[in-house]
Amino acid sequence: MERFGLICFSLFFFIPATHQSQTSQTQVLLQLRKHLGYPKTLDAWNQSNDDLCYTPSSPTLSIVCEGNSVTQLRIVGDKPVKVSNFKGFPLPGQTLSERFSLDSFVTTLTRLSSLRLVCLVSLGLWGPFPEKIHRLYSLEVLDLSSNFLYGSIPPKISAMTKLQTLTLDSNFFNGTVPDWFDSMPNLTFLSLKSNQLTGPFPESVGRIKNLTDLALSQNHVSGGIPDLSGLSNLEVLDLRENKLSTGLTNMPKSLVTILLSRNSLADEIPKEFGELLRLQHLDLSFNLLHGTPPSSLFSLPNISYLNLEFNQLSGSLPKGLHCSHSLGYVDISTNRLTGALPSCLSSRWDKRVVKFGGNCLSADRGHQNEESFCKEASEGIRESRHKGIGALVGVIGGVVVVMFLAALAFLLFCRRYCSRGVAEQHLLPKALQANTPTGLSSELLANARYISQVKLGTRGSPVYRLFSLEELNEVTNNFDQSSYLGNGSTGKLYKGRLENGAYVAIRCLALFKRYSIRNLQLRLDLLSKLCHPHLVGLLGHCIDGSYNDTSINRVFLVYEYVPNGNLRSHLCENSPDKVLKWSERLSILIGVAKAVHFLHTGIIPGFFNNRLKANNILLDEHYVAKLSDYGLSIITEEIDKLEAKAEGHKSSLIENQTLTWQLKKLQDDVYSFGLILLETLVGGTVSEKEESYLLNEMASSFSSQDGRKRMVDPIVLTTACEESLSIIISIAKKCISPESSVRPSIEDVIWNLHYAAQVQATADGDQKSELAPEP
């Protein structure tokens, strides 16, 4: 009896302590919600009064607790960064209100001292980032992307020794790149993309021993790239669109992706780059590199993408150049290369895209310069290098003299006019600086020739134009069977090759002549204005009114050719080297969703009923998704009306109701996208009969582990984490709901896809860490 009383007495103290701890955590979370202005993302917390740890996870909200402590907090808002220049003041509809205090918010957040993961994305957070974030000493993952944080990255982050992932993309940090990251022993993923960071690239980055991913693209980082050869785990290096200069440095042998385009890198490409045996993607385009590119770059065993466009490369590539079988895309255009084009870069390699215009090569003379042009340019570069030191000395001497004379003039000016007042003395130098050539930045003066070349020599988006029927007959060999690609839902498709060597896809439509030419041209003009990285580019059209059927016009639509097949064919792929992993499928789906969103909102009126199907999603040489057959509803709507009318005479009332329901489904792009999600999950081609079966199974089988094993593609099951897969299954169910009002918006679909991809990336990173050998 005494023992029972002791137990009860102990429980009397223990239970309140536990409840008090849970209540304390809940109070902190509710306080965070108040700081964030009660966003819709956190409406689910209204349903949980006692313990928010049991709040159901969603694509935009996830809480994980261990014991009585919150260990993971993910909140994804709906305030994407849309401004290019943020002044540090709240923006209506994009940032949190002027009453928001980032310092108070972080103070509240640090009360959750057991946090290991914090993901606060697109919430409109604004202000200088407080140093007190280091109080979260257990933090392993910190992601504050797509907010409005500015100022310097706080140095006390270096005290967070357990931090493995730091992501501060798409903010407005404007200090220098910190030089203390090497003091963080567990840091593996560092991404500071799309900020306003300045100053030199710190050498200390080369001492972050465990780093696997480094991304500093789209900043203003200057100077040279430090020696990174000691980063034996580095796989991804993304330094695009900065102000990096001097030459290329030693790179670690572990690299898989190197992106250095749009800088001012000079000197030659080191031959050591030809020893990066794991390298798959190399982009050195739009720099000032010279010399002859190493032949070994083209034969690296895993290289698939090689872009050396728009440099000052010279010399001749060896005739016996060997290209790796993995090499699918090569761009050596707009350089100073001479001689013959090696056979492995010739047009006979249908599966390899090669761009080589703007050189002085003997191949394709219509798009090459005279050989003398390249030789003179190369000699000029060599002479300029020899004269560089003398010119630099002369410039420095000239600058010293000018500064001395300017200082002398300023002293005389002040002595004569100092009585005019302090305010005028402060204003006048600024006005002079803004209106004088000396106000131009040194970088702009140094790159003046380079900029002029960009304006005159680059090939931007092709100009939409009219094609003649004779031209189309020529490029397709009179529409020979050998150029036939297939017969889609909107007409036959052919492959052609233009005079400049570019491949195109030509779709042939048959329209009744009662559809006026003027009306058709107006609609084609509207369609031609659609331009998006995930849409197959429409290059032009041809209207043939001389067809032997007097009641029909033939209309030819000329598109860019996308070489890597469609999504459906890749989902049916059985080769282990070519199957799409889950992360790759998510990337493709995100691209398609962005394209659909653009079609709905990027032009007024929007384009709907875009006939979304897996075989209309094409993949380019980098597996970037491009949607085809979009917007054709505005051209083919008369055909649809006539066919529906004819069908109406043949069918009974019940059949017409079924047809109307089917058409209603097809007209909803979100519903069609849901079917694509379903096909991506199960893999392979889904017939109409299978589609009906799968739609019924979505409500039950997909929700259980056994059902997933039975229904979902084994490749997906082995490459997807459970949470990421659940997110996509959930959004797919909503997309294919019979009630259109229940279906999500395309914006919601995009957010879910991004979130699933982010969850998968985190899981892949964790798995990589677990599999890594212990030091």
Side-chain angles (χ1 to χ4, degrees):
M1 192 69 179
E2 292 179 359
R3 180 178 299 176
F4 177 77
L6 181 61
I7 293 174
C8 291
F9 182 75
S10 301
L11 288 175
F12 177 78
F13 286 99
F14 175 76
I15 293 175
T18 303
H19 178 73
Q20 182 179 6
S21 176
Q22 292 176 342
T23 303
S24 173
Q25 298 280 288
T26 296
Q27 289 175 347
V28 174
L29 292 171
L30 293 177
Q31 187 66 28
L32 290 175
R33 183 179 68 159
K34 181 179 179 181
H35 281 298
L36 295 174
Y38 301 96
K40 292 183 179 180
T41 302
L42 302 183
D43 284 350
W45 289 358
N46 294 329
Q47 312 299 325
S48 303
N49 297 322
D50 296 329
D51 191 356
L52 299 183
C53 288
Y54 294 98
T55 304
S57 296
S58 73
T60 57
L61 175 62
S62 174
I63 303 175
V64 175
C65 299
E66 295 181 8
N68 303 318
S69 301
V70 179
T71 58
Q72 296 186 26
L73 178 61
R74 285 191 179 97
I75 307 175
V76 180
D78 58 356
K79 292 183 169 61
V81 177
K82 295 182 180 179
V83 297
S84 59
N85 193 14
F86 177 56
K87 300 295 186 181
F89 299 98
L91 300 174
Q94 298 196 48
T95 68
L96 294 171
S97 71
E98 60 182 9
R99 295 188 300 274
F100 172 76
S101 169
L102 186 59
D103 187 78
S104 298
F105 175 80
V106 172
T107 299
T108 303
L109 182 67
T110 56
R111 290 170 59 190
L112 301 174
S113 57
S114 299
L115 278 171
R116 295 202 299 268
L117 181 148
V118 171
C119 175
L120 303 172
V121 175
S122 298
L123 292 171
L125 305 175
W126 66 276
F129 196 22
E131 288 199 344
K132 61 184 68 174
I133 189 70
H134 80 281
R135 297 176 185 174
L136 294 173
Y137 54 86
S138 298
L139 208 59
E140 298 174 3
V141 176
L142 177 61
D143 185 353
L144 300 175
S145 301
S146 298
N147 284 293
F148 293 81
L149 309 179
Y150 60 87
S152 300
I153 299 174
K156 287 206 173 176
I157 287 182
S158 61
M160 304 169 73
T161 55
K162 295 183 180 180
L163 199 63
Q164 299 175 17
T165 297
L166 177 60
T167 307
L168 301 175
D169 298 344
S170 299
N171 280 284
F172 295 88
F173 288 110
N174 52 12
T176 57
V177 180
D179 62 354
W180 37 256
F181 285 122
D182 59 328
S183 64
M184 305 174 70
N186 294 300
L187 190 63
T188 60
F189 186 98
L190 175 61
S191 186
L192 308 175
K193 296 186 294 186
S194 300
N195 279 282
Q196 298 174 358
L197 296 170
T198 60
F201 197 131
E203 293 186 3
S204 59
V205 172
R207 298 191 292 270
I208 310 176
K209 296 298 183 182
N210 294 316
L211 200 62
T212 61
D213 296 73
L214 174 61
L216 292 173
S217 58
Q218 295 177 316
N219 279 286
H220 307 290
V221 182
S222 58
I225 302 174
D227 186 356
L228 303 177
S229 58
L231 302 181
S232 58
N233 297 310
L234 190 64
E235 296 183 348
V236 177
L237 178 64
D238 183 2
L239 304 177
R240 294 168 294 167
E241 299 181 43
N242 276 287
K243 300 178 180 180
L244 297 170
S245 57
T246 68
L248 295 169
T249 185
N250 294 330
M251 295 290 175
K253 301 293 180 62
S254 56
L255 275 169
V256 175
T257 299
I258 300 177
L259 305 175
L260 298 174
S261 60
R262 298 187 184 277
N263 281 285
S264 297
L265 297 170
D267 215 337
E268 298 183 357
I269 302 174
K271 63 179 181 179
E272 287 77 14
F273 271 50
E275 301 173 2
L276 303 177
L277 302 183
R278 297 188 61 195
L279 195 62
Q280 297 177 14
H281 296 79
L282 176 61
D283 190 347
L284 301 176
S285 60
F286 292 90
N287 279 289
L288 300 172
L289 299 169
H290 54 82
T292 305
S295 301
S296 53
L297 285 182
F298 299 84
S299 59
L300 287 170
N302 293 298
I303 193 73
S304 62
Y305 177 87
L306 177 60
N307 193 344
L308 306 177
E309 177 190 11
F310 224 110
N311 279 282
Q312 298 172 356
L313 300 173
S314 59
S316 300
L317 296 174
K319 293 181 180 180
L321 181 72
H322 173 67
C323 294
S324 171
H325 291 293
S326 302
L327 190 58
Y329 181 90
V330 182
D331 193 343
I332 55 175
S333 58
T334 320
N335 278 288
R336 305 283 186 267
L337 297 172
T338 57
L341 188 69
S343 60
C344 74
L345 299 180
S346 64
S347 58
R348 67 186 181 88
W349 296 88
D350 291 336
K351 294 184 179 180
R352 181 172 296 150
V353 177
V354 181
K355 297 184 178 181
F356 54 88
N359 284 285
C360 299
L361 299 167
S362 58
D364 191 23
R365 295 300 304 171
H367 297 86
Q368 301 292 321
N369 297 304
E370 295 296 329
E371 188 171 353
S372 58
F373 170 80
C374 291
K375 288 185 176 179
E376 290 173 2
S378 299
E379 290 174 1
I381 293 171
R382 285 193 294 269
E383 289 178 4
S384 65
R385 288 204 300 270
H386 291 140
K387 296 177 180 178
I389 296 177
L392 180 61
V393 173
V395 168
I396 293 174
V399 169
V400 171
V401 172
V402 170
M403 290 178 64
F404 174 77
L405 293 175
L408 181 61
F410 180 73
L411 289 173
L412 294 173
F413 177 84
C414 286
R415 183 173 297 178
R416 184 171 182 180
Y417 296 106
C418 60
S419 60
R420 295 189 180 184
V422 176
E424 185 177 348
Q425 291 178 23
H426 283 293
L427 292 174
L428 188 57
K430 291 185 179 180
L432 286 172
Q433 184 179 8
N435 292 284
T436 181
T438 57
L440 297 173
S441 70
S442 58
E443 180 194 4
L444 183 61
L445 292 172
N447 292 331
R449 182 182 58 79
Y450 176 65
I451 293 170
S452 67
Q453 285 182 344
V454 170
K455 290 180 178 179
L456 297 176
T458 55
R459 293 170 294 172
S461 300
V463 178
Y464 187 88
R465 68 183 182 91
L466 297 179
F467 288 83
S468 66
L469 183 59
E470 291 75 13
E471 187 177 1
L472 297 185
N473 281 329
E474 183 177 349
V475 302
T476 60
N477 194 19
N478 292 318
F479 292 94
D480 186 72
Q481 186 65 25
S482 61
S483 65
Y484 179 67
L485 293 175
N487 192 7
S489 58
T490 53
K492 295 181 178 180
L493 193 66
Y494 297 86
K495 179 181 179 181
R497 188 177 185 184
L498 302 180
E499 287 185 358
N500 62 3
Y503 286 102
V504 293
I506 304 169
R507 185 173 295 283
C508 178
L509 307 176
L511 299 181
F512 291 103
K513 283 193 174 180
R514 68 187 70 179
Y515 199 37
S516 73
I517 296 296
R518 175 171 173 77
N519 192 7
L520 175 60
Q521 288 177 333
L522 288 173
R523 294 172 185 237
L524 285 170
D525 180 64
L526 182 61
L527 196 60
S528 71
K529 290 180 170 59
L530 297 177
C531 182
H532 189 273
H534 294 292
L535 293 179
V536 177
L538 180 60
L539 307 179
H541 74 269
C542 169
I543 300 176
D544 175 26
S546 61
Y547 192 53
N548 53 15
D549 188 332
T550 57
S551 64
I552 290 178
N553 283 320
R554 287 195 306 174
V555 179
F556 299 93
L557 302 179
V558 182
Y559 293 93
E560 66 172 313
Y561 178 71
V562 183
N564 213 2
N566 61 55
L567 175 60
R568 178 165 292 166
S569 66
H570 283 275
L571 293 177
C572 298
E573 182 63 59
N574 293 321
S575 173
D577 297 332
K578 297 181 179 179
V579 293
L580 295 173
K581 296 186 294 185
W582 180 241
S583 58
E584 294 170 331
R585 300 185 191 200
L586 288 176
S587 178
I588 291 168
L589 291 170
I590 289 171
V592 177
K594 288 180 177 179
V596 175
H597 181 259
F598 171 76
L599 291 170
H600 288 183
T601 63
I603 192 169
I604 299 175
F607 285 80
F608 300 90
N609 187 18
N610 288 288
R611 303 173 186 264
L612 302 180
K613 297 179 181 178
N615 56 0
N616 287 343
I617 299 170
L618 307 182
L619 305 179
D620 71 4
E621 57 274 7
H622 316 302
Y623 284 81
V624 173
K626 287 180 175 285
L627 182 63
S628 68
D629 285 5
Y630 55 88
L632 291 184
S633 59
I634 68 167
I635 297 177
T636 61
E637 61 181 8
E638 184 160 326
I639 296 177
D640 294 338
K641 290 177 183 177
L642 290 171
E643 289 178 350
K645 185 177 181 181
E647 188 67 24
H649 289 299
K650 297 177 183 178
S651 306
S652 65
L653 178 61
I654 296 176
E655 288 172 337
N656 276 332
Q657 289 174 343
T658 303
L659 177 63
T660 301
W661 163 239
Q662 290 174 345
L663 289 174
K664 185 177 180 181
K665 290 196 300 181
L666 289 175
Q667 288 169 356
D668 187 343
D669 283 340
V670 172
Y671 181 90
S672 300
F673 192 84
L675 295 179
I676 293 173
L677 288 174
L678 186 58
E679 193 166 342
T680 307
L681 286 166
V682 302
T685 303
V686 179
S687 65
E688 292 185 7
K689 184 177 180 180
E690 290 172 325
E691 178 184 315
S692 177
Y693 169 71
L694 288 172
L695 292 178
N696 293 329
E697 290 293 312
M698 280 294 288
S700 55
S701 298
F702 278 77
S703 301
S704 67
Q705 291 293 335
D706 292 338
R708 289 185 187 181
K709 291 179 181 179
R710 181 166 52 89
M711 305 298 299
V712 176
D713 186 352
I715 297 298
V716 172
L717 291 176
T718 55
T719 59
C721 71
E722 183 177 345
E723 185 179 359
S724 178
L725 189 58
S726 297
I727 294 168
I728 299 304
I729 291 175
S730 175
I731 195 64
K733 286 181 180 179
K734 295 177 183 178
C735 288
I736 59 178
S737 171
E739 296 294 331
S740 59
S741 60
V742 177
R743 298 172 198 160
S745 66
I746 192 64
E747 291 88 351
D748 291 335
V749 173
I750 292 174
W751 275 114
N752 278 270
L753 289 169
H754 272 297
Y755 185 67
Q758 189 176 39
V759 169
Q760 185 62 46
T762 302
D764 290 342
D766 293 343
Q767 185 179 22
K768 187 187 299 182
S769 300
E770 293 173 1
L771 296 176
E774 295 184 2

